[in-house]
Amino acid sequence: MSGFEAVLQAPAKTPYDEYAIQVVDVKKRYGVGEDAVLALRGMTFHIEKGEFMAIIGPSGCGKTTLLNILGALDRPTSGKVFIDGVDISQLPNRELALVRSRKLGFVFQDFNLLSRMSVVENVELPLFIAGADPVFSRRRALALLGRLGIAHKAHKNVNHISGGERQRVAVARALANDPKIVLADEPTGNLDTRNTEMMMGLMKQLNKDFGKTLVIITHNPEVAAHAQRVISIRDGSITEIKTN
Ligand SMILES: Nc1ncnc2c1ncn2[C@@H]1O[C@H](COP(=O)(O)OP(=O)(O)OP(=O)(O)O)[C@@H](O)[C@H]1O
Ligand SMILES: [Mg+2]
């Protein structure tokens, strides 16, 4: 194991490796001086392995800030974040990228599919970024599309498929690297009722059938009702953690 790879290994038996995610007194400040915004004011919680957790709260309360930190896209100003037992709060960029690429999958609002590319190429993207073998990547992407029922659209441009099909491509892409944890920021934010229900069906499939720990951010209480637990946030603080 190289030193670089060692980053991905949790130190032997920490109090933190029993959870998928452990957040300890995390604060995040944007900017300095008078313009500083304290977006997260000290959050402590954990997410169990295999759990489906929703994070809910009004606009500007800090949901995306928190998800960016959980997703190794940003660092807290203070506090600690353990992903699968590894403290990512102080990791340098290269190592943060490695954790992101190996342990985490993402479903973005509006899905962020690359429009010049085909369905299968979009699903291959995380594998490409992780430096996987192209033949393996193609086989894995096609297998995932098969499990999600859209293998027959694999070579279509993503602009030439339906909204429901795009949801499935976004979910397949989040699963490409076989991450332990999938993070979704408002995956139903711009969807109508029918497509919201379809997306929630896919999210449950991802959690139950694929066995992924799932964290969803939402404004929508009906979406949060599908989760096992719900964290409510207001003004950068947790106000409640509720079990459904
Ligand atoms: N890059 C940034 N620089 C400065 N302030 C920021 C930055 N990103 C977010 N903020 C501020 O931090 C606070 C939390 O923002 P965040 O984007 O996390 O909210 P949110 O809960 O995701 O909101 P929404 O539901 O509208 O997406 C807000 O006051 C926001 O203006
Ligand atoms: Mg947001």
Side-chain angles (χ1 to χ4, degrees), residues 180-225:
K180 293 194 170 175
I181 302 166
V182 175
L183 304 171
D185 193 352
E186 298 272 9
T188 61
N190 293 329
L191 303 180
D192 61 18
T193 308
R194 183 173 146 268
N195 279 304
T196 293
E197 279 168 14
M198 273 167 49
M199 190 63 185
M200 291 320 294
L202 284 169
M203 291 284 104
K204 283 186 170 169
Q205 185 181 359
L206 186 155
N207 175 239
K208 290 258 181 299
D209 302 349
F210 288 85
K212 304 302 179 192
T213 303
L214 175 61
V215 184
I216 286 190
I217 283 187
T218 183
H219 285 98
N220 185 344
E222 285 173 30
V223 168

Side-chain angles (χ1 to χ4, degrees), residues 104-107 126 169-179 181-183 206:
L104 300 165
F106 296 88
V107 178
V169 177
V171 170
R173 186 179 59 185
L175 292 167
N177 278 341
D178 199 20
I181 302 166
V182 175
L183 304 171
L206 186 155

Side-chain angles (χ1 to χ4, degrees), residues 9-182:
Q9 303 288 323
K13 214 58 203 158
T14 71
Y16 302 106
D17 63 1
E18 71 180 279
Y19 300 126
I21 298 176
Q22 173 90 335
V23 172
V24 184
D25 197 23
V26 160
K27 297 181 181 156
K28 179 67 181 181
R29 181 182 296 108
Y30 291 114
V32 289
E34 287 192 1
D35 295 332
V37 175
L38 195 52
L40 303 180
R41 294 168 180 268
M43 291 191 173
T44 298
F45 63 92
H46 70 269
I47 298 174
E48 306 274 352
K49 291 179 179 166
E51 187 168 25
F52 174 2
M53 178 74 95
I55 297 175
I56 193 161
S59 183
C61 73
K63 302 183 297 297
T64 297
T65 300
L66 177 60
L67 204 80
N68 287 345
I69 290 172
L70 300 183
L73 295 158
D74 200 1
R75 286 186 204 78
T77 306
S78 65
K80 289 189 180 298
V81 179
F82 296 85
I83 301 290
D84 199 27
V86 176
D87 181 6
I88 64 162
S89 49
Q90 305 299 331
L91 287 183
N93 284 343
R94 256 168 69 94
E95 298 181 355
L96 214 52
L98 196 67
V99 170
R100 195 158 63 232
S101 170
R102 299 283 176 83
K103 292 191 187 271
L104 300 165
F106 296 88
V107 178
F108 300 97
Q109 186 168 7
D110 300 328
F111 313 136
N112 282 6
L113 299 177
L114 296 185
S115 61
R116 288 168 184 277
M117 289 163 59
S118 70
V119 164
V120 69
E121 286 164 346
N122 267 277
V123 177
E124 284 170 343
L125 209 60
L127 291 152
F128 175 76
I129 291 168
D133 170 66
V135 175
F136 167 83
S137 300
R138 179 56 56 107
R139 211 180 299 138
R140 168 135 184 99
L142 289 172
L144 280 168
L145 290 168
R147 277 190 73 180
L148 292 163
I150 42 164
H152 59 296
K153 296 287 167 87
H155 301 289
K156 291 262 188 221
N157 182 293
V158 287
N159 286 342
H160 300 158
I161 60 175
S162 74
E165 288 164 347
R166 271 204 286 279
Q167 295 178 4
R168 286 184 269 170
V169 177
V171 170
R173 186 179 59 185
L175 292 167
N177 278 341
D178 199 20
K180 293 194 170 175
I181 302 166
V182 175

